Amino acid sequence: MSNSPQLASMTVDTVLTRWPRCADIFNEYNMACVGCPVAPYYTVSEAANVYKLPVAEFIAVLEKTIEETENK
């Protein structure tokens, strides 16, 4: 994918629906996003900010997971 701005602006729900394996990443960062009722409204960037995570680092980890998923 390698398009951080696009991924950063996607809602958490969209990311989890499109790439279910990303749920593991949200859980590894102790984020309660999986199953959260506001996941359809928060962007990935907003969610990272809520949890005080470095946005670029979190996006990079998600991108790596997405690339691994798509290259199988």
Side-chain angles (χ1 to χ4, degrees):
M1 182 170 189
S2 237
N3 194 348
S4 298
Q6 181 182 356
L7 184 60
S9 65
M10 293 176 104
T11 65
V12 171
D13 190 56
T14 299
V15 171
L16 293 174
T17 299
R18 190 166 175 189
W19 302 288
R21 198 162 152 237
C22 286
D24 294 337
I25 305 307
F26 284 92
N27 289 332
E28 285 175 21
Y29 279 82
N30 297 313
M31 299 169 80
C33 296
V34 180
C36 178
V38 296
Y41 308 103
Y42 270 70
T43 66
V44 171
S45 180
E46 290 168 335
N49 283 326
V50 166
Y51 285 91
K52 298 182 180 14
L53 299 173
V55 176
E57 175 187 310
F58 183 67
I59 298 284
V61 173
L62 286 176
E63 283 183 333
K64 182 178 179 201
T65 300
I66 291 166
E67 287 175 16
E68 290 171 358
T69 301
E70 291 181 345
N71 290 331
K72 281 189 173 186

